[in-house]
Amino acid sequence: KLSKRLETVAKFVPTGAVIADIGSDHAYLPCYLIHKGIASYAIAGEVVKGPFESAVGQVQKEDLTEKITVRLADGLAAVEAADHVDTITIAGMGGPLIVSILEKHPSSLLGVTRLILQPNIHAKVIREWALANNWAILDEEILEEDDKIYEILVLQRGPMELSASEFLFGPKLMLRKSPAFIKKWTREKENWQRVLLSIEEAEQTPEIEEKRAELIGQLKLVEGVL
Ligand code: SAM
């Protein structure tokens, strides 16, 4: 059975999509998408040999070799023009790693109309990358599983405008204020308050002063949204 996290990623894949799942590990997501008749074809990309072999094994075991191609490649190098991939999923990594994958092989994105990204941390850098690269937020989701909170960003091409709060919290998520959202940002707020207290006792240097101002700014934003 697929995790709730990956099931939520799958929910945003359009029916009939040709997908590439980058950093696919066991290729659970592409296997699920093909079995459910959601994706019509899938590429599973992995840069590490062990997970790549797990993906190959899983696809064989589920008898899906005609519908899923597993490639050993760095990020979007797994996507070839002849694949006609229209949807890319990247899940289970930090926001900065997801952004570095998106930036490294820009030509692989040419025919892509939807990105479904699930950063474990730092979703903000993905919103910044999206805005700078003419991708707009179509939808967002936040969910809790095994005491961890995950965000999912669904992007389509187009311009958008975001405020400082929207970059940090997500424009859709901060309107909906779901229980997982409240929990995540209450936790973050308490962390920031703790750090702020500890640096208030530290020696004042320009770096500490800068960090302090940043924390105070973030605390203002979080207090505005909770
Ligand atoms: N996507 C799956 C999920 O969400 O459950 C697996 C997540 S796993 C924590 C991250 C995977 O990404 C690892 O298998 C790792 O080898 C792979 N990975 C990391 N950097 C990558 C890159 N540049 N290109 C392809 N795969 C990468």
Side-chain angles (χ1 to χ4, degrees), residues 31 62 72 158 160 180 204 214 222:
C31 289
E62 297 200 30
L72 183 62
M160 67 171 167
Q204 297 306 304
E214 187 195 324
V222 86

Side-chain angles (χ1 to χ4, degrees), residues 102-166:
L102 292 168
E103 284 181 336
K104 199 163 174 187
H105 302 275
S107 65
S108 297
L109 289 178
L110 285 175
V112 175
T113 52
R114 181 173 295 204
L115 298 172
I116 307 164
L117 308 172
Q118 185 269 300
N120 289 340
I121 52 167
H122 300 314
K124 183 183 172 196
V125 298
I126 294 183
R127 297 192 186 95
E128 287 167 346
W129 174 87
L131 184 127
N133 290 278
N134 201 42
W135 287 89
I137 294 170
L138 175 66
D139 208 345
E140 292 175 305
E141 192 78 76
I142 189 163
L143 67 121
E144 183 173 357
E145 186 170 48
D146 301 332
D147 205 37
K148 292 201 188 81
I149 294 175
Y150 301 103
E151 286 178 51
I152 294 167
L153 284 76
V154 187
L155 306 179
Q156 65 179 3
R157 294 200 187 256
M160 67 171 167
E161 277 178 39
L162 294 179
S163 67
S165 291
E166 288 172 326

